[in-house]
Each structure stands twice: as structure tokens, then as C-alpha cells.
Amino acid sequence: LAHHLVAAGDHVDALPTVIWAADHARSVYAFAEARRQLSVAREELWDRVDDPESLSALSYDELLRLEAEMARWAGEPSAATELLRAGLLAVPRTGLPRARLELELGEALWAVGDPAGTLAACERAEAALEPGPRGQVLRVWVLASLAQALIATGQYERCQLVAEQAIALARTCGATRNALQARITLATAT
């Protein structure tokens, strides 16, 4: 259906349908197909409709992050890094969108075998997070990922501090999965 709506030029109906198709593809682990659908949404539909955020229930940077994540899971981490680097040029230096894109870039760089790049991206993600209660679960995820990057680059003492920070913060906001990641990293560093 999504393909036919796009081909017919029915962009308003096509955008949410393409997003739904991508979500369905992701749910059955068809990551390449999910990426293809998200690419259609970004490249062919986004600029052709009024208020694409409302139609898709996504911001542009979230669409880009999801497409990059699907590229990474489809075995194309280099393509993910290209998408993310281009997307980072368009977002402010601070805030949740910047932190999410930097964190996803760190994941993609890890997948291409660049631990130093991963560390730098995680550090930028942490720096992008503004103080306060907003985005605490994301902050735990960033800290847990930063701890992993630190251990991969041989910075064990700093890794321990960051992992402990992630674990403590996770207790207050319920980020159980990321707390577990930080605990495993901490155990490895000690």
C-alpha cells in the first residue's frame, strides 16, 4: 500500500503509511526494508507535505536517527555514519535531539570499528544534554555507552566513575536496561 500511495503522488496518505510500513518491517527484523521505507519518507515525502511531524508522529531528526539505526542493523554502519553526520549539521549543539544523534553516531562508529570515534561521539552526546530532569533515561543511556567507550579505549578509572554515575542515575529514573549495561561495564573495568 505504501508503495502505491507514493507512486500515485498521494503524499499526505503515503507518509504515515510509509512510517507504519517501516515500523512493521523493524518489528519483524527486516532492517533493510525498514531503512528503505524510512529513506522514502525522508527523501521523497518529507518536503512534499505540510506538517510532516504531525503526519508521521516523528521529528525530522528522529526520522534520520531511526533510518541510521536501521542502516546499522542492516549491516550498513558506514551509511549510518554518513546520514548522522549530515543530520548533525542541522541540529543545535545542545538538547535532546543532538544527544540522540550523537549517541546513534557513537553506535554506528562502534559498528565500523572506530572506538576513538565512538568515545568522541559519546562525549559530545553527554555535553549536549542540558542539566535538569528532562531526558534522564537518555542521560543514563549516554553514560552507559560512554563507559563502554572508555573501557574500549583503556580509560579504566574514568570508566568506573562514569559507570557508577549511570547506575546511580538509573535508580532514580528506572532505566533498568541501561543500568545493567553500566553494571556489566563496571564489572569489566574493576
Side-chain angles (χ1 to χ4, degrees):
L1 179 60
H3 168 77
H4 295 292
L5 290 169
V6 172
D10 186 354
H11 303 129
V12 171
D13 288 334
L15 183 57
T17 306
V18 165
I19 298 297
W20 178 87
D23 188 53
H24 178 71
R26 183 178 63 86
S27 74
V28 296
Y29 308 102
F31 302 122
E33 177 61 17
R35 186 215 174 177
R36 189 182 73 72
Q37 293 293 340
L38 292 166
S39 177
V40 167
R42 182 178 56 81
E43 294 176 357
E44 298 180 36
L45 300 172
W46 197 263
D47 292 331
R48 293 184 178 174
V49 298
D50 293 328
D51 198 14
E53 292 88 0
S54 293
L55 287 172
S56 65
L58 294 170
S59 64
Y60 183 79
D61 49 271
E62 185 61 13
L63 173 64
L64 187 78
R65 190 199 65 74
L66 286 170
E67 184 182 347
E69 181 183 27
M70 292 304 99
R72 180 169 53 87
W73 283 109
E76 300 178 43
S78 294
T81 62
E82 289 175 28
L83 276 170
L84 292 161
R85 286 186 171 135
L88 283 163
L89 297 173
V91 295
R93 289 246 179 244
T94 60
L96 297 177
R98 180 66 175 219
R100 285 186 189 106
L101 289 176
E102 289 285 8
L103 182 59
E104 186 59 40
L105 178 59
E107 297 282 342
L109 289 168
W110 183 266
V112 297
D114 183 358
T118 299
L119 175 59
C122 290
E123 288 173 331
R124 290 190 304 269
E126 182 186 24
L129 290 168
E130 297 163 340
R134 208 164 155 243
Q136 293 302 303
V137 172
L138 178 60
R139 185 178 306 277
V140 173
W141 188 4
V142 166
L143 291 171
S145 296
L146 177 57
Q148 280 186 318
L150 287 165
I151 200 169
T153 56
Q155 299 180 51
Y156 298 102
E157 288 180 22
R158 186 169 167 221
C159 167
Q160 290 173 350
L161 294 173
V162 171
E164 288 168 354
Q165 222 181 335
I167 294 163
L169 183 57
R171 286 189 190 111
T172 67
C173 67
T176 308
R177 180 182 177 276
N178 297 316
L180 180 57
Q181 177 186 344
R183 287 181 190 279
I184 293 168
T185 303
L186 179 60
T188 305
T190 53

